[in-house]
Amino acid sequence: MKVLSIQSAVAYGHVGNSAAVFPLQRLGVEVVPVPTVNFSNHTGYGAWRGPLIPPSDVAEILLGVEERGVFPQIDAVLSGYQGGVGIGDVIVDAVRRVKAANPAALYACDPVMGNAKSGCFVAPEIPVLLRDRVVPVADIITPNQFELGFLTGTEPASIESTLAAVDLAREMGPSTVLVTSVERPDRAEGTIEMLVVDAAGAWLVSTPHLPFKANGSGDVTAALFTAHYVTTKDAAVSLERTASSIFDLIETTYRSGQRELQLVAAQEFYATPRMQFKAEQVR
């Protein structure tokens, strides 16, 4: 499998491509990473250095990759945090060209804009760009519950309202929606859930909720789910594998006492997920 991943890059820590590439490689995926920013560290520290890559420069990198004859080999395009407004159009154009070269290729968009605790942490134009121009051309999207609500103009909370919001999101264009953090009021205490919906049905998986926020875990989730889904075309199996790997990654990080994801220490959990969580079909 070959994945074109258009995302941010950081020198220290693991977010964006600096989170997604290595787990994909441990799955045996060949990754073509294209940076949208080149920061010293993720923005959660409140201070960082390094440039946003101008959209024209990102487009030049993509053109060079295309000129090497790579686009027909691409099985999936993956995108995440978009630092600037113009990058969305560059990504959409790259997706169009990849799909022209390989009609079977999928586009997976992680519509990064914020979360329920922090609110929106990207430029105000980015959520609108994602909703109106990027998400409609995606095959897979991986929002958290907060992002799903913005995309659909709803406030998902229960399973029923979250499923209704997912249906609205699927009407926008994506056939597969993975909601990466479902915090319904009636869930079992001390748990957090993920929900996936595609044409075959809807499945929910529950894992223990560790008292720890790990920047970049959503980026790893989107990458692993995309790879598993491209391989299996089975949403439930892809969800179970992803949930298993992500829980073990976060638990490894939590036990380490470190702020940054322990991406290397947890590497065996990507290649051989323990499959300790079972997805329940909810529709």
Side-chain angles (χ1 to χ4, degrees):
M1 188 193 312
K2 190 166 283 169
V3 172
L4 174 64
S5 185
I6 310 170
Q7 299 196 57
S8 56
V10 294
Y12 172 69
H14 301 291
V15 300
N17 268 337
S18 302
V21 172
F22 178 63
L24 287 173
Q25 290 172 331
R26 287 293 281 122
L27 281 177
V29 176
E30 187 72 41
V31 188
V32 182
V34 175
T36 57
V37 309
N38 191 12
F39 289 166
S40 56
N41 51 270
H42 68 69
T43 60
Y45 286 96
W48 64 93
R49 297 181 183 274
L52 289 169
I53 310 296
S56 58
D57 288 351
V58 177
E60 278 292 296
I61 296 170
L62 287 162
L63 178 59
V65 172
E66 183 178 26
E67 289 172 342
R68 302 287 76 76
V70 176
F71 280 10
Q73 306 166 26
I74 298 295
D75 298 292
V77 180
L78 179 64
S79 72
Y81 171 73
Q82 299 186 16
V85 175
I87 195 65
D89 289 330
V90 173
I91 292 170
V92 168
D93 183 60
V95 168
R96 177 186 60 78
R97 284 152 45 202
V98 166
K99 289 194 169 195
N102 177 15
L106 298 179
Y107 170 38
C109 170
D110 185 7
V112 178
M113 56 184 82
N115 57 60
K117 291 180 181 176
S118 305
C120 192
F121 52 62
V122 297
E125 303 88 351
I126 297 295
V128 178
L129 165 75
L130 287 166
R131 182 191 63 201
D132 295 346
R133 303 219 297 271
V134 181
V135 166
V137 303
D139 300 290
I140 301 168
I141 59 171
T142 60
N144 59 38
Q145 211 166 14
F146 172 86
E147 292 159 344
L148 176 66
F150 177 87
L151 290 172
T152 58
T154 64
E155 295 183 3
S158 65
I159 286 296
E160 292 75 19
S161 61
T162 302
L163 283 169
V166 168
D167 290 341
L168 291 173
R170 293 182 71 231
E171 289 173 5
M172 297 168 64
S175 57
T176 303
V177 177
L178 171 68
V179 187
T180 57
S181 58
V182 177
E183 300 186 54
R184 57 180 169 130
D186 58 340
R187 72 189 185 278
E189 185 176 355
T191 65
I192 192 166
E193 297 166 321
M194 288 198 288
L195 172 73
V196 67
V197 182
D198 70 358
W203 291 267
L204 187 73
V205 69
S206 176
T207 68
H209 186 203
L210 298 171
F212 178 73
K213 173 66 174 74
N215 292 85
S217 57
D219 302 321
V220 182
T221 300
L224 292 178
F225 179 81
T226 298
H228 289 312
Y229 195 76
V230 168
T231 302
T232 67
K233 301 295 189 292
D234 187 313
V237 169
S238 301
L239 177 62
E240 289 170 348
R241 290 180 181 177
T242 301
S244 175
S245 298
I246 293 300
F247 176 78
D248 283 333
L249 167 62
I250 294 176
E251 185 177 50
T252 299
T253 303
Y254 179 63
R255 292 183 182 280
S256 76
Q258 300 297 309
R259 175 172 181 172
E260 294 290 344
L261 285 176
Q262 297 301 290
L263 203 70
V264 175
Q267 62 180 289
E268 290 304 320
F269 298 127
Y270 323 135
T272 53
R274 291 192 295 141
M275 303 300 286
Q276 67 270 48
F277 305 112
K278 181 69 178 174
E280 173 192 0
Q281 187 161 12
V282 292
R283 193 172 69 187

